[in-house]
Amino acid sequence: MHTGQVTTSTVAGTRPALPLADACCTPLLREPITGSQAADLAHVLKALADPTRLRLVSMVAAHDGGEACVCDLTEPLGLTQPTISHHLKILVDAGIFTRDKRGVWAYYALVPSAMDALSAVLSTTR
C-alpha cells in the first residue's frame, strides 16, 4: 500500500451520491417512481451491471481498511491501470465509491450507505 499526503477527496459527477435516497420509504416494488428517480436508479444499476465493476466493488470492500488504490487492483484483475481507472470512475460517478487523492495515488472506498440504499429501494418488505 502506498502512503502520502491527502490532497483531495471527491465524489465525482453531478448525480446524487445516493440515488433514490429520498425514496427509501417508497421502494420500487411498492410504489411507482418518478422519471428522475428511474434515471438515477438506472445510472447506479448500469454502473454495477458489469462483471469487472462487480469484482471491483467486492475487492475494494474486502481490501485492508476497506479501500484500495489502482496499484492494488491491476494484478488480481489482470487488467491495465487505465482500464481499471475507467471502471473506478464509473463507480465513483454513480456514487458507489469515493475517491481520495493522496499524492500521486488515488484510493477508492465503498460509500457505506450506497448498497444499503440500493437494497432498500429494491426491497419487497415494508
Side-chain angles (χ1 to χ4, degrees):
M1 182 180 288
H2 300 280
T3 60
Q5 183 178 352
V6 175
T7 55
T8 62
S9 182
T10 59
V11 175
T14 57
R15 298 214 178 252
L18 297 174
L20 297 178
D22 61 327
C24 68
C25 301
T26 58
L28 173 73
L29 304 178
R30 278 191 284 164
E31 185 174 310
I33 59 175
T34 67
S36 176
Q37 290 171 324
D40 288 343
L41 180 57
H43 183 71
V44 173
L45 293 174
K46 284 178 186 178
L48 289 172
D50 179 273
T52 298
R53 291 193 286 270
L54 285 171
R55 289 188 68 201
L56 282 168
V57 168
S58 177
M59 292 172 72
V60 170
H63 200 267
D64 291 338
E67 67 177 7
C69 132
V70 174
C71 61
D72 299 320
L73 303 168
T74 52
E75 186 178 325
L77 285 171
L79 298 171
T80 65
Q81 179 273 325
T83 299
I84 293 172
S85 292
H86 167 75
H87 287 292
L88 290 168
K89 180 184 183 320
I90 290 170
L91 292 166
V92 169
D93 288 347
I96 297 165
F97 279 169
T98 59
R99 178 180 182 268
D100 186 25
K101 179 90 168 151
R102 300 177 194 165
V104 297
W105 298 103
Y107 286 78
Y108 297 85
L110 187 67
V111 173
S113 55
M115 294 307 205
D116 292 339
L118 184 59
S119 176
V121 168
L122 299 174
S123 176
T124 60
T125 60
R126 291 187 182 260

